[in-house]
Amino acid sequence: MIVRDRPSLLRLFFIVRGSVVVRIYPQLLLVFALACLVVALHRGYPGSVPAMSSAPFSLLGMALSIFLGFRNNASYDRWWEARKDWGQLITTLRDFARQTQLLPDTPEGQAQRRALLQPCMAFAHLLVDHLRPHAPRGKATPWLPPELQQQLAASRNVPDLVLRHIGAQLAQLRRGLCISDIEYSLLDASIGRMSAVLAACERIRNTPVPFGYTLLLHRTAYLFCFLLPFGFVDTLGWATPFAATLVAYTFFGLDALGEELEEPFGHRPNALPIGALADVIEINLREALGETDLPPLPVPVDDLLT
């Protein structure tokens, strides 16, 4: 995610990082070249390139703008829902760390507390790897017991495996009468909220915006931008390439931005910094365990927080 101060008006036009221009500049160059060709043929060979009325383009442009707005709203809803889910995970794990203070303040009780909270740190890191399977970070290993590490390769859902392990630890504490029924219910409810966050993130990642919806938008945007020079060649002349490219920048840019927001757990600049959020969770839980030699909080690198 791009994290930076608001740029000045002059710098606003030259910012590349976080901008969709890098992704859409081939389409913009194609529209500009096509518009130049249309104007040149219309001027050099009158009648060879027909000029069209601009009225249909105004109506189609309004409809396409509304359509793009609905699509981008749907994509942003996915992005914002994913951010709320990770915010809920941070809140739940902090609550869980506070609830584990119910355990006795003895060496045995502190060992039990550590056995509950360290897998929670691993859960946050493994959730990042689960949502970004092509770039695993491997930060969970130090916080997993050896017997659980051996089970990771065989599991189809590693974060859920860790939650089951934490649940088994709680059940063992209840059977050993280390916690009461009420305390067990309180702690288990937090595990249930962690499981709900896992399911919500999987739903967002595995359910994209319907392909037919995206395909219709792509086709309409391309047809509109490629036909636009024919509608303004008579009225704008050699200004047509610049006007057509500006309109194409708006429509292609909104389309590309919607694609980025549609995948909130991806690696593009506007994706959520779930890796940094997992690091924050680890730091919070380690501090709750009384550790003082903590790593620094994540900071943006070149205005990018991942």
Side-chain angles (χ1 to χ4, degrees):
M1 185 173 69
I2 300 296
V3 180
R4 62 176 304 157
D5 297 330
R6 185 176 180 85
S8 63
L9 181 61
L10 182 61
R11 293 190 62 195
L12 189 65
F13 291 94
F14 299 98
I15 292 176
V16 175
R17 181 175 290 277
S19 172
V20 294
V21 173
V22 178
R23 294 185 55 200
I24 65 173
Y25 80 88
Q27 295 96 307
L28 299 182
L29 292 177
L30 181 59
V31 170
F32 185 83
L34 176 62
C36 289
L37 179 62
V38 170
V39 175
L41 291 177
H42 186 72
R43 292 292 183 90
Y45 303 94
S48 62
V49 175
M52 304 168 61
S53 172
S54 60
F57 290 96
S58 300
L59 296 175
L60 182 58
M62 291 176 59
L64 185 56
S65 299
I66 296 173
F67 193 24
L68 277 166
F70 279 127
R71 189 279 181 97
N72 277 31
N73 283 341
S75 297
Y76 181 77
D77 283 344
R78 292 167 56 85
W79 187 92
W80 183 238
E81 183 181 356
R83 181 60 186 91
K84 289 192 293 185
D85 288 333
W86 271 85
Q88 178 62 45
L89 179 61
I90 293 175
T91 301
T92 300
L93 286 171
R94 288 173 178 170
D95 288 344
F96 187 71
R98 188 180 67 253
Q99 291 161 0
T100 56
Q101 292 178 342
L102 294 166
L103 294 169
D105 189 14
T106 61
E108 182 182 1
Q110 291 304 309
Q112 293 169 343
R113 189 166 181 248
R114 188 173 297 274
L116 288 174
L117 293 185
Q118 285 185 341
C120 290
M121 304 178 204
F123 170 80
H125 291 304
L126 290 171
L127 181 55
V128 176
D129 296 343
H130 186 60
L131 299 174
R132 294 175 175 173
H134 301 297
R137 306 187 309 159
K139 289 189 174 183
T141 305
W143 311 114
L144 292 172
E147 66 274 10
L148 189 57
Q149 293 181 26
Q150 298 173 1
Q151 303 176 35
L152 296 184
S155 176
R156 299 293 182 89
N157 192 321
V158 176
D160 187 59
L161 172 66
V162 175
L163 290 182
R164 293 199 303 271
H165 171 79
I166 299 172
Q169 293 288 102
L170 287 177
Q172 184 176 355
L173 290 175
R174 178 67 194 104
R175 287 193 295 269
L177 301 179
C178 297
I179 55 176
S180 66
D181 288 337
I182 296 177
E183 292 169 343
Y184 173 80
S185 299
L186 181 66
L187 293 168
D188 187 64
S190 295
I191 303 301
R193 289 193 294 273
M194 293 166 59
S195 180
V197 169
L198 169 61
C201 291
E202 288 177 330
R203 172 174 52 79
I204 293 172
R205 181 182 178 273
N206 298 326
T207 311
V209 173
F211 178 72
Y213 190 76
T214 304
L215 183 62
L216 176 61
L217 179 60
H218 284 333
R219 286 175 174 172
T220 307
Y222 275 87
L223 287 174
F224 177 83
C225 292
F226 290 157
L227 293 176
L228 190 62
F230 295 95
F232 292 97
V233 65
D234 268 342
T235 56
L236 297 181
W238 280 108
T240 299
F242 301 96
T245 303
L246 180 60
V247 174
Y249 169 73
T250 302
F251 286 147
F252 289 151
L254 286 173
D255 186 25
L257 182 59
E259 282 188 359
E260 288 194 15
L261 297 180
E262 183 183 341
E263 299 178 3
F265 305 125
H267 298 278
R268 289 171 176 167
N270 291 301
L272 288 173
I274 56 177
L277 295 176
D279 291 339
V280 169
I281 289 173
E282 176 187 328
I283 293 171
N284 290 163
L285 296 188
R286 289 175 64 181
E287 184 176 2
L289 286 171
E291 296 186 22
T292 56
D293 185 18
L294 301 173
L297 289 171
V299 294
V301 178
D302 293 332
D303 301 323
L304 184 63
L305 189 64
T306 59

